[in-house]
Amino acid sequence: MDIGAHVDQADPIAEAQARNAPHVQFFLGDPQGYKGPELQYAGGAEGLRADAEAAGIGLYVHAPYIVNVATTNNRIRIPSRKLLQQHVDAAAAIGARGLIVHGGHVNKDDDPEKGFDNWRKAIEATDLKLPLLIENTAGGDNAMTRYLERIGRVWDAIAPTEQADLVGFCLDTCHAHAGGNSLETVVEDVLKITGRIDLVHCNDSRDEFDSGADRHANLGAGKVDPDLLAAVVRDAGAPVVLETPGGASEHTADADWLRERGL
Ligand SMILES: [Zn+2]
């Protein structure tokens, strides 16, 4: 199984090599800001693309957390769409395998239908130059991708769009657990809806099942049943990105934790 990690973006190749990882994930710029992507790699986009290819390292980009294309709030949705396109462009320029984005949410009193339709509009308005991987999230009552039923509605909304084939799914194990989705069936349940899992964010959770909290823990150090965590990774059969606390040594220990379980 290919196991990588979320790393600092300044030199993703060195970060991958420090973890003996075949791929890494990183942010391009401030994950909480609207400023747009920024690439810190000394060789620029072309250099990173060429150097990663030469080193055999796969790249994934995580969009900023603040991107929320589902919301009915124009002052968030419109800049979110712009940020999404900018990140698609920047991720494609470095040859990334995918851009990961959270499902977003509508406001407390909003009709979730508007959020599903806003997802459709966002996909129609964005020139997807690489796979866009929508990730399940842990919290919020009006989230688009916390519960399976909502994930299904997002997929229904996107399915008729021209670029539907470029939309994939990123399954985060911490978010699934904390979001209240049984890890015993989540892979099967998601596959029934999306037909695909393109990436697994393998994280333990500091919080209880259905707590709604998004606090990642190192593998075996949180509240997720270790056997279930390993089974989800195995059954998903997709590349893995660890988004666990710490740096190279902690990520190496987490990768070893998975390998000890035959992954
Ligand atoms: Zn994640």
Side-chain angles (χ1 to χ4, degrees):
M1 189 135 290
D2 286 345
I3 304 168
H6 185 92
V7 301
D8 186 86
Q9 72 137 301
D11 190 348
I13 297 164
E15 300 283 359
Q17 287 164 344
R19 293 160 177 80
N20 205 12
H23 59 256
V24 284
Q25 169 188 287
F26 45 90
F27 293 115
L28 290 174
D30 178 3
Q32 303 289 0
Y34 283 105
K35 229 184 97 190
E38 112 188 77
L39 184 67
Q40 291 167 7
Y41 190 69
E46 270 309 308
L48 179 51
R49 181 187 195 119
D51 293 348
E53 232 173 76
I57 308 289
L59 308 176
Y60 291 91
V61 173
H62 200 303
Y65 296 126
I66 50 154
V67 168
N68 181 5
V69 299
T71 181
T72 58
N73 182 340
N74 294 344
R75 286 156 65 196
I76 294 173
R77 191 181 68 258
I78 291 165
S80 287
R81 273 197 205 164
K82 184 177 168 201
L83 259 186
L84 185 65
Q85 182 70 65
Q86 289 174 327
H87 275 79
V88 164
D89 296 347
I94 61 170
R97 291 180 182 168
L99 175 68
I100 295 94
V101 66
H102 286 183
H105 56 91
V106 293
N107 291 334
K108 197 163 96 355
D109 300 322
D110 282 344
D111 181 357
E113 298 297 330
K114 297 213 168 89
F116 307 136
D117 199 47
N118 280 338
W119 256 114
R120 175 187 65 78
K121 289 179 185 162
I123 296 302
E124 285 176 346
T126 307
D127 178 12
L128 292 180
K129 299 169 178 172
L130 80 171
L132 181 69
L133 310 182
I134 302 177
E135 179 177 354
N136 62 311
T137 55
D141 290 335
N142 247 341
M144 293 287 105
T145 59
R146 173 176 177 175
Y147 293 111
L148 294 159
E149 192 266 338
R150 294 273 178 92
I151 296 172
R153 301 299 309 280
V154 170
W155 242 256
D156 289 346
I158 289 172
T161 65
E162 268 180 35
Q163 298 181 104
D165 287 353
L166 280 168
V167 180
F169 193 76
C170 173
L171 176 64
D172 188 304
T173 55
C174 168
H175 300 174
H177 161 91
N181 300 286
S182 168
L183 292 192
E184 293 190 25
T185 57
V186 74
V187 169
E188 198 188 327
D189 294 340
V190 165
L191 286 175
K192 263 186 220 155
I193 293 166
T194 65
R196 59 196 279 183
I197 294 174
D198 299 80
L199 191 68
V200 173
H201 282 169
C202 184
N203 307 302
D204 208 330
S205 168
R206 288 169 64 184
D207 300 282
E208 300 293 344
F209 183 78
D210 209 16
S211 60
D214 183 1
R215 300 191 304 163
H216 298 185
N218 293 99
L219 308 189
K223 302 276 168 73
V224 179
D225 180 297
D227 292 336
L228 275 180
L229 187 55
V232 166
V233 172
R234 183 178 305 115
D235 294 349
V240 174
V241 167
L242 300 159
E243 299 178 315
T244 49
S249 62
E250 288 81 2
H251 291 153
T252 302
D254 284 335
D256 288 345
W257 188 96
L258 287 170
R259 291 202 183 93
E260 280 161 20
R261 286 161 177 79
L263 297 162

